[in-house]
Amino acid sequence: MVRSGEEPRPAGRATDGTGPASLRELFLQGEPVETGVRTSILDSWQRCRSLGLSPDALDLPYREDFDPGGRIVRAAVPVLDRLQATFAGSQVNISVADANGTVLLRRFGDPSMTRSLPDIQVVPGFVFAEQVAGTNGIGLALAERQLIRVYGAEHFAERAQQNACVALPVRDPLSGRIEGVLCLGYPRGFERPALGVAIRRAAEGIERRLLGQSSARERALLRTYLAAGAGTAGLHRGVALDAVANEFPLRDQAILREKAAELISGAQRGAVEVTLPDGRRVTLVSRPVTSGSGVQGIAIEAVLPGPAAGEPLVIPHQADDLAALTAPAVPLSAARPAITLPSGHLAAPSGPLVTTDGDGGTTGPGGTAGPVTSAEPSTSAEPTTPAEPSKSAEPDSARTPAGPAVAAGERTTTQPTTTDSDRSPSGPAAAGRGGRVSAGEHSEAAFPARGLVMLGEPQVGAYALAARRRLELLSEASTRIGTTLDVRRTAEELAETAAPGLADFVTIDLPDAVLRGEESADPIADLRRTVVHGIRGGLPFTPPGKRVDFGPTTPQLRCLSSSEAVLEPDLNAAAGWLAQDPEHTERLLAHVHSLIAVPLLARGVVLGVASFYRAGSPFGDDDRSLAQELASRAALSIDNARRYTHERTMVLALQRRLLPHGLPDQDAVEVAHRYLPAESDVGGDWYDVIPLSGARVGLLVGDVVGHGMLSAATMGRLRTAARSFAELDFPPDEVLTHLDNLVGRLDREDPDGKGAGVIGATCLYAVYDPTAQRCLMARAGHPPPAVVRPDGTVTYPDLPAGPPLGLGGLPFDAVEVGLPEGSQLVLYTDGLIEDRNRDVDAVLEQLREALAHPERAPEETCQAILDTVAPTHPHDDIALLVARVHAMDPGRIANWELSADPARVGEVRASAMRWLSDRGLDETGFAAELILSELITNAIRHGAAPIRVRLLYGRTLICEVSDASNTAPHLRRAASTDEGGRGLFLVAQLSQSWGTRYLPEGKVIWAECDLDAA
């Protein structure tokens, strides 16, 4: 048996066994006690207070109807006798209580103690359950379901303050159910380390004897089965114990035994046809067997070789379950008419019920009783009085094979040697191959032989079946829990796995911080109902999304405090749970009756609490272990999801921080944008809108290869660099060339030197000029843009793809296209069109259909694209930029061309002033006049003809002077003795920005003036 360890004792506990007396007094006075008292003791005190128990007025109830010869008593008597001898002469008292806390046995190291102790410590029958006796060894061991020590003042009752005790639950080895409690009491100064070892060994001895009792019951069933087969003619003649092992390989035997275990656990008389992997069909027949001592079981036989292929199985109608196995046997054929069932349907067996009467006789067909011929010596027969078993019926556990059932082919010391008659191929009589089998008629042709597959008690078979299903549930949990990196979805997967496999209803409460991907500073005060799942709805649980507050005595808070699962088999008796919210719990008790609360802990972090509820049979310790295992697995997945959420939130915050927060003011395009992060991880997609000189605008979309923090950080560097290159008025192909060099340099600067940093990036850069309604664009390995004409025509310009950024050494080509006013230019990253389950060409056609609505505004176009084209669960980031282009009104553009003659400066300046005055820009005219004078003079003196002057009137006034020379002016600070050199300084002071833009032939010097400038 694997036991949970004893709760560690806190440092500073009084070594004389007095316990925390002062802290107990503080607690009884209502003062808060948070440290210095062990968790289990403090929880028990709180439950006692919630029950209204008084420490100085505890009258224990006495039960006269306790069973002095029950199963736990029979197993414990020899063990207690040995313990009494071990502690002979000491003040140790030994007791055994049942699962309800009623003391059944008493032993004393010094028999004279019985004269000085009160009746409650001497006489069996008193109840020491916690709800009536307060904190004590027996009651607390049942409540905590583990080894418990209680010292002096840790007892709730005043009369127990001078005593100490150690108590340990005793479990049925097959079912895991608590059968009772073994308790050692002693004066508080008698503390010995050996007491814990002694009580563990004694409990294991009692459990071995309980196992021996179960083994003896199984052997009694086997003896009765063999006796019935050897002494009854007709149906049971020729039963072969080794027939299954001889007839079928191991794989098929395992299939038959698995189905046989289900039939035994179902406690039903019937038959079922099992199809084996090789196509053979075997009929399993179950029938009840009762030993002479009243042990009730089920025998599962395989009918060999079974009905011919395609021939229906003719057997009586399915009988009801084993409600009264000890009643006089009646042939099933007489109980219900015979029916014909198709293959695989469950029905009753074709033979009569075989059972034994109380004298050991066998009831044969027709209900007639006959003698039993035992296949074993009479000395090993099952005793007729179960309350006083003989030694042969319950041998020492070391010589007793343990198991939930006796399977065919398993040799044990109690199984007789199979005789030749046992292997006879004869069997139940039946009609010939061409006729129908009638109830009560038998022939040896249809069923040549029967082989015993398994024999056992339904209860034990149910335990074995439940254990197998628990393993199946754990196996299922490994594939169902943690399929995503979403905290909420992982919690839902835990609930869906546990209900109905383990529980009927599951609630999961997580702190808000965990849902956000963080660690909660105070998880108990921060819990929020996250999941409510069950076999049906409408129960009065706190709905998802609401805050939940658990009191100090509730199982949920106790499990969070102890970091262990807390089991409440009967919620009607769970004082702490009932006291939390009487009105709410009363409504819940109409639907649920048992609870397991399990903390969700992973890597030392408290992630929440899971509560498993049952409406039917109560939970047991095996269920608690299973719930804790499920919760542990789910907690790791939830923590992984939490960590991922935290990292993803950080990366997404960085990503959004590095993207544009707003769009710049400009008149060239009307822009809408979207950024949609991938579900699995955040990548390095970006977009940008860059105002350029000459009323132009740059549109930029890029995608860094990879995901995570590195990609987001690299995206920020590339976007900053791309904006800088664009603002230098480089054409698109040159901007991409500079970015290509930058990415290559970043790869070379990788600190690991393994190229594990930036792998590469793609980019598309377009520059739109509203004065010419032309767009110049170039791309580096990026998807082509879409152009939506005013008439609704959608095209993908034939734009050279170019290599992705980072390869280096390869040129980029720019292409210029015309964009009439009202056209839309759509730029996007590959996450929009590339998906593992979709064809790119089909998606581009889908995008074309979504864009064929030129009347839509850019915002509407963005949303339509995401609704119809974007994948439902994107595996990559999506950056989308939709720009509707506008043309500049020709009335807001003025052009002059002049020769390299200084006399022409005044003429152009005067014409420009008149043009500005006509448009009400007199206040701006002063600054514009000085700027034009300086720029035109510089072009005449240092440039080359032809010289052109252009004014653009938009949000600002832009003054441009171009010439055919590539020589660029430079701003410098002139000395006080210099005669010139102050012209550009004056331009910079009068304008809000200025710069140089290079043309294929020549350059443009421009300056931008604020319209509000005086």
Side-chain angles (χ1 to χ4, degrees), residues 188-207:
R188 66 186 189 188
F190 187 78
E191 175 68 22
R192 299 289 188 276
L195 290 174
V197 177
I199 197 170
R200 288 184 186 277
R201 290 179 177 175
E204 290 169 358
I206 297 174
E207 290 169 350

Side-chain angles (χ1 to χ4, degrees), residues 82 147 485 500 504 509 832 851 945 970:
R82 290 196 295 270
L147 188 142
L485 286 172
D504 295 324
D509 308 312
L832 178 67
L851 293 175
H970 297 283

Side-chain angles (χ1 to χ4, degrees), residues 2-234:
V2 178
R3 300 182 182 279
S4 58
E6 180 185 359
E7 183 183 2
R9 283 175 267 167
R13 186 186 62 81
T15 57
D16 61 353
T18 57
S22 59
L23 294 175
R24 176 178 176 275
E25 294 301 323
L26 288 176
F27 176 83
L28 294 177
Q29 294 171 11
E31 297 293 333
V33 177
E34 298 179 356
T35 59
V37 181
R38 290 179 294 150
T39 303
S40 60
I41 300 297
L42 184 58
D43 289 343
S44 179
W45 288 356
Q46 291 170 337
R47 292 194 295 271
C48 294
R49 181 163 61 184
S50 66
L51 287 168
L53 299 181
S54 174
D56 53 358
L58 285 177
D59 295 327
L60 303 187
Y62 178 79
R63 295 185 56 183
E64 296 182 352
D65 59 345
F66 72 92
D67 187 0
R71 187 165 175 252
I72 183 69
V73 173
R74 299 199 309 272
V77 166
V79 178
L80 263 62
D81 290 341
R82 290 196 295 270
L83 276 177
Q84 186 177 25
T86 300
F87 294 106
S90 69
Q91 297 296 304
V92 175
N93 64 83
I94 309 158
S95 59
V96 169
D98 63 13
N100 297 317
T102 303
V103 174
L104 306 176
L105 288 174
R106 289 282 192 183
R107 294 287 191 274
F108 300 92
D110 183 358
S112 63
M113 294 173 59
T114 58
R115 296 191 296 268
S116 59
L117 294 176
D119 287 346
I120 62 171
Q121 298 184 26
V122 177
V123 180
F126 284 96
V127 180
F128 282 82
E130 185 187 60
Q131 56 264 34
V132 294
T135 307
N136 69 92
I138 293 175
L140 192 52
L142 288 173
E144 297 290 333
R145 309 177 78 85
Q146 63 179 344
L147 188 142
I148 287 294
R149 296 177 185 267
V150 182
Y151 306 94
E154 291 180 335
H155 288 87
F156 194 74
E158 293 286 354
R159 61 170 173 263
Q161 300 295 295
Q162 303 303 315
N163 301 322
C165 63
V166 55
L168 180 65
V170 177
R171 290 179 169 85
D172 186 323
L174 292 179
S175 67
R177 182 179 58 204
I178 291 180
E179 293 288 334
V181 176
L182 176 62
C183 181
L184 302 181
Y186 48 90
R188 66 186 189 188
F190 187 78
E191 175 68 22
R192 299 289 188 276
L195 290 174
V197 177
I199 197 170
R200 288 184 186 277
R201 290 179 177 175
E204 290 169 358
I206 297 174
E207 290 169 350
R208 284 195 299 268
R209 293 184 59 80
L210 289 172
L211 183 61
Q213 291 180 17
S214 299
S215 301
R217 294 164 65 92
E218 299 288 356
R219 292 197 304 276
L221 289 174
L222 180 59
R223 285 195 297 272
T224 303
Y225 174 83
L226 294 173
T232 306

Side-chain angles (χ1 to χ4, degrees), residues 36 99-100 278 445 527 584 599 697 726 964 982:
N100 297 317
D278 60 3
L527 288 174
H584 181 239
V697 65
R982 298 175 178 83

Side-chain angles (χ1 to χ4, degrees), residues 785-803:
V787 175
V788 184
R789 304 286 178 179
D791 60 358
T793 304
V794 181
T795 60
Y796 298 101
D798 187 12
L799 184 63

